[in-house]
Amino acid sequence: QPQLVESGGGSVQAGGSLRLSCAASGFTYRPTCMGWFRQAPEKAREGVARIVTGVASTYHADLVKGRFTISQDNAKNTLYLQMNSLKPEDTAMYYCAAGTFDYHSGSDGRPRFGACNFDYWGQGTQVTVSS
């Protein structure tokens, strides 16, 4: 029954900002990793940012570092992605994901990003950035 529901997407001009939210529910225990991925048409899904929830340790992909910030509100079971200085190349469907931190393990078929293996996914929220 785990569910992840994204919100906050929309259309914005280059240089603008958006904040995405992900509401988590139905987990029997707290996932050790939460993250954001994105996928543009005809491109592979790529990791954007992730957080190790217990220690709030963050990791951001190089292409968004300094512009995007991942954060969490544990009391609200909510994950956020603050996106500033948006560029047209940021246009994509953005997905919230949950999984497990495992520094030493991978290559088992699960999407992996920032030493986390991701197992659960939201339906996505569209972000469109115009020039």
Side-chain angles (χ1 to χ4, degrees), residues 11-24:
S11 297
V12 65
Q13 291 184 323
S17 298
L18 287 171
R19 189 179 75 160
L20 307 184
S21 299
C22 172

Side-chain angles (χ1 to χ4, degrees), residues 20-124:
L20 307 184
S21 299
C22 172
S25 63
F27 288 88
T28 57
Y29 55 91
R30 184 185 302 278
T32 52
C33 291
M34 297 287 290
W36 291 95
F37 290 71
R38 67 186 184 186
Q39 187 170 24
E42 301 184 11
K43 296 185 68 176
R45 186 172 297 185
E46 63 180 358
V48 175
R50 73 98 174 96
I51 186 166
V52 180
T53 58
V55 294
S57 177
T58 63
Y59 175 81
H60 299 79
D62 288 344
L63 287 175
V64 307
K65 195 172 299 181
R67 300 188 298 120
F68 293 9
T69 304
I70 191 171
S71 62
Q72 64 185 2
D73 186 333
N74 290 330
K76 297 181 179 179
N77 294 315
T78 302
L79 182 75
Y80 301 100
L81 184 68
Q82 179 67 48
M83 304 186 295
N84 299 325
S85 301
L86 283 161
K87 305 175 180 179
E89 51 263 44
D90 295 319
T91 296
M93 185 73 73
Y94 283 71
Y95 298 90
C96 179
T100 304
F101 181 82
D102 193 340
Y103 183 81
H104 297 289
S105 297
S107 301
D108 64 354
R110 291 177 292 173
R112 183 171 175 85
F113 180 70
C116 295
N117 300 314
F118 290 93
D119 304 290
Y120 303 99
W121 302 86
Q123 294 299 305

